[in-house]
Amino acid sequence: MSATKYPEKGPPSPSVDIRTDDEVVQESSTEMISRSHSLHRKLRGKEVQLFAIGGAIGTSLYVQMGSALPKGGPAGLFVAFLIWGAIMWAVNECFAEMVTFLPVPSPFIRFGGEWVDGALGFAMAWNFFLNMAFLVPFEIVAMNIMITFWTDKVPVEAIIVAMIVLYAILNIITVRYFGISEFYLSIFKVVLMIGLFFFVFITMLGGNPLHDRYGFRYWDNPGAFVEHLVPGGTGKFLGVLSCVYQASFSICGPEYISMVAAETENPRKILPPAFRSFVWRILVFFVGSALCMGIVIPYNDPTLLGILGGDISGSGTGAASPYVIAMQRLQISGLPHLVNALIMTSIFSAGNGLLFAATRTLHGMSLQGQAPRFFSWCTNNGVPLWALLASLSFCLLAFLQVNSSSAVVMTYLVDLVTCCQLINYGFTALTYRHFFSALKKQGISRDTLPYKGRFQPYTCYIAMGGTSFMLLAGGYDLFLAGGWDVMWFFLDYGMIAFFILAFAFWKLCFRSKYIQPGTANLTLGGLKEDIDNYEAILIPREPGKIDKVLNFIFE
């Protein structure tokens, strides 16, 4: 293997490339815009929609969301996802207006560095990389839980090593097929989720071997809300708050659309519908799943409580998914095994995609001088080998399962990832406020934009306020009587300290300047004109029959 030559300098932002060329080569943003908009196959509307949906649908919707049910109850879980869904809608409006205006690689990170402060772009880049990297061992831990549905004879260490090896092989030899494979796997995830919704609807009406017409029984007994940590109304409020924190981990999506912005065939036409449909994805998949989980099992289900507390061991503990628990309770033969296997397929796909994103993000950061230069070295077929190995090293966190229960280790990783997500969402909203001021002071009417965010700039205030509140409230349980724990304090707030240190490092070492609101260069050094010219000469491909059907569904 030999190294591939790369440019020495580039704009200050990482880039994630999901092309399916024979060689996947990271370039500076300027080169990527000019080359990628002309030479290789671009993503169509249905593909962007599916990437967004597939990226958002993961382990949480099948398994991990159930961990919040004993804390808030079915109504608490449902209300919490509605509340956080509204916050995420506000975040989405900030992403949408900026990204459709300038669909460049890793846009929300790029904008933070170009329109607010170079130090912010650096801190957001590392924060986003860690977000992706921490999610890979999360998926490995989830895989171990699902395998124990059948047997506990396989050592945890063997599962972890096997997953790491498989991920390494797939990321080395199948780069060119990543885009198309993720497209079809996204369709699979959507079908699986819809199938689970039908399972809930049919069985709650009595369509099950027990002929048990259970409906909303568990909302009445044992109850709709849970008194969490303390009794009374305060306890119920804390229960809902714990579910909101879970929702802040589970609900995502705008960043996945943004990641493929520069890879979209006609971005200013295709991206707006993808962002607009985000609210329906929230309602259907996230809020819908929260509702269904509270229907199929009670919040005090002994199997769920035993798994979460690490009290149940041995074969069968893989039934951590409320759906699988319900299937077993209803004595539906065969279906729990099938669904468990299908969920495992989704988990494996999610981990592979996250590792790919983490690797390409670190590689892009290296090209821009935001990470050590050796991470930019690639093999002949375009694999950034050192960046891949560095990203794989985070999988070693999965070995925490050896001394702790898998459910506890998942909680560790959820805390770290949630903090990362909230930071990037909040600072994306702050970046939007600078963008809004620049449009106003430079006389650019928002009515001329491809996407006009609703109720701005008040929407971005909601996004900043909501994410800031959850960042600070994430460790609420630490401040109650007897709840203090140094390790959990680090897990809840450690990423905030990392972000501040990263910002300060870049600010002090490179003397980056804060860009006053209204003075940002909205052309990004001429990239806007490049995209304008590309779209002016673009001749869209004629969709086939299947494309027309999929476009009707997803657009």
Side-chain angles (χ1 to χ4, degrees):
M1 293 184 288
S2 61
T4 303
K5 182 67 176 177
Y6 291 98
E8 293 298 320
K9 293 182 179 181
S13 69
S15 165
V16 178
D17 192 331
I18 62 167
R19 297 196 303 261
T20 58
D21 297 348
D22 290 340
E23 285 191 0
V24 176
V25 179
Q26 289 287 349
E27 305 164 318
S28 70
S29 293
T30 302
E31 291 170 325
M32 178 176 285
I33 288 294
S34 60
R35 193 175 82 82
S36 71
H37 279 305
S38 58
L39 296 183
H40 72 276
R41 184 180 181 276
K42 308 297 292 181
L43 299 176
R44 295 185 179 184
K46 64 181 186 303
E47 294 168 326
V48 173
Q49 293 273 12
L50 281 168
F51 272 120
I53 296 172
I57 295 178
T59 305
S60 180
L61 261 71
Y62 304 123
V63 181
Q64 213 276 325
M65 279 173 58
S67 65
L69 186 59
K71 299 177 182 178
L77 187 67
F78 178 66
V79 170
F81 271 74
L82 279 176
I83 292 172
W84 192 253
I87 302 295
M88 281 305 299
W89 167 81
V91 171
N92 178 74
E93 293 300 289
C94 298
F95 272 91
E97 190 168 316
M98 293 189 295
V99 173
T100 56
F101 177 75
L102 270 175
V104 297
S106 297
F108 59 98
I109 297 172
R110 178 77 183 271
F111 300 154
E114 297 275 357
W115 294 344
V116 183
D117 195 306
L120 180 63
F122 173 77
M124 289 180 70
W126 274 100
N127 187 68
F128 183 72
F129 164 71
L130 292 176
N131 187 1
M132 297 292 103
F134 285 139
L135 278 169
V136 183
F138 171 84
E139 301 295 343
I140 295 177
V141 174
M143 180 66 77
N144 178 63
I145 292 177
M146 304 311 289
I147 288 176
T148 57
F149 177 75
W150 293 296
T151 179
D152 63 337
K153 303 301 182 183
V154 182
V156 173
E157 298 90 335
I159 296 173
I160 297 171
V161 171
M163 293 281 285
I164 293 174
V165 171
L166 287 172
Y167 282 157
I169 293 173
L170 290 173
N171 273 266
I172 289 174
I173 67 175
T174 61
V175 168
R176 66 175 296 187
Y177 303 109
F178 175 81
I180 192 169
S181 65
E182 284 301 304
F183 171 74
Y184 288 109
L185 284 170
S186 295
I187 295 177
F188 161 77
K189 291 178 183 180
V190 172
V191 172
L192 175 58
M193 199 68 243
I194 293 175
L196 291 174
F197 288 163
F198 274 107
F199 158 77
V200 175
F201 180 73
I202 293 171
T203 58
M204 70 184 292
L205 296 179
N208 58 74
L210 300 181
H211 304 292
D212 181 12
R213 192 180 178 91
Y214 59 90
F216 283 84
R217 174 191 302 159
Y218 302 126
W219 285 54
D220 181 58
N221 182 22
F225 291 94
V226 175
E227 296 176 355
H228 180 51
L229 298 179
V230 296
T234 301
K236 292 181 179 180
F237 169 78
L238 291 177
V240 174
L241 181 62
S242 68
C243 292
V244 173
Y245 189 74
Q246 174 62 50
S248 66
F249 167 79
S250 300
I251 301 180
C252 56
E255 67 272 38
Y256 291 103
I257 303 175
S258 302
M259 284 168 61
V260 299
E263 301 300 313
T264 304
E265 183 179 61
N266 192 356
R268 288 173 178 156
K269 180 180 178 181
I270 288 174
L271 293 177
F275 281 113
R276 288 191 189 99
S277 64
F278 177 71
V279 65
W280 299 111
R281 289 197 293 275
I282 291 175
L283 291 174
V284 173
F285 293 108
F286 296 109
V287 178
S289 187
L291 177 63
C292 288
M293 285 187 176
I295 291 175
V296 293
I297 61 173
Y299 68 73
N300 60 352
D301 181 88
T303 302
L304 180 62
L305 293 177
I307 295 170
L308 294 177
D311 299 324
I312 295 180
S313 61
S315 179
T317 61
S321 169
Y323 300 109
V324 176
I325 293 174
M327 292 170 188
Q328 290 183 310
R329 177 181 60 81
L330 295 170
Q331 301 178 15
I332 303 177
S333 61
L335 189 59
H337 298 275
L338 174 62
V339 171
N340 198 73
L342 294 176
I343 292 175
M344 287 173 60
T345 303
S346 177
I347 290 172
F348 184 82
S349 166
N352 189 51
L354 290 164
L355 178 63
F356 186 95
T359 300
R360 264 57 192 181
T361 299
L362 182 58
H363 176 240
M365 289 163 58
S366 176
L367 293 177
Q368 316 312 328
Q370 296 177 325
R373 288 292 299 171
F374 66 86
F375 287 129
S376 63
W377 187 87
C378 282
T379 64
N380 283 334
N381 63 343
V383 178
L385 187 60
W386 298 116
L388 173 60
L389 293 175
S391 301
L392 275 171
S393 68
F394 283 81
C395 297
L396 299 178
L397 291 171
F399 281 103
L400 291 170
Q401 297 174 94
V402 175
N403 295 321
S404 302
S405 74
S406 298
V408 172
V409 176
M410 286 185 76
T411 305
Y412 295 161
L413 296 170
V414 165
D415 277 11
L416 291 172
V417 170
T418 302
C419 196
C420 289
Q421 288 185 175
L422 289 171
I423 288 171
N424 264 345
Y425 290 156
F427 279 101
T428 297
L430 174 64
T431 302
Y432 174 83
R433 189 62 187 86
H434 281 244
F435 172 72
F436 182 89
S437 296
L439 290 174
K440 187 174 181 179
K441 290 190 177 181
Q442 295 173 30
I444 302 175
S445 172
R446 293 178 59 242
D447 293 327
T448 65
L449 302 181
Y451 186 105
K452 182 180 179 181
R454 284 161 285 189
F455 312 115
Q456 294 286 17
Y458 307 105
T459 307
C460 79
Y461 298 149
I462 295 173
M464 285 189 283
T467 52
S468 298
F469 173 79
M470 285 311 302
L471 268 176
L472 297 176
Y476 67 93
D477 52 333
L478 296 173
F479 305 101
L480 299 174
W484 179 258
D485 186 285
V486 174
M487 182 191 72
W488 286 108
F489 180 82
F490 170 79
L491 291 170
D492 288 329
Y493 298 109
M495 293 310 302
I496 299 176
F498 172 84
F499 191 90
I500 294 172
L501 290 173
F503 183 93
F505 166 78
W506 192 267
K507 192 75 173 175
L508 294 174
C509 293
F510 296 95
R511 304 292 181 181
S512 61
K513 294 183 178 179
Y514 173 70
I515 300 169
Q516 294 293 330
T519 62
N521 178 7
L522 297 181
T523 69
L524 289 188
L527 284 182
K528 182 179 182 300
E529 287 75 12
D530 290 343
I531 299 171
D532 292 341
N533 293 334
Y534 155 75
E535 292 193 328
I537 62 174
L538 174 68
I539 301 177
R541 290 171 289 166
E542 287 294 326
K545 292 182 179 179
I546 296 178
D547 288 329
K548 290 179 180 179
V549 174
L550 292 175
N551 287 339
F552 174 78
I553 295 173
F554 292 105
E555 296 185 30

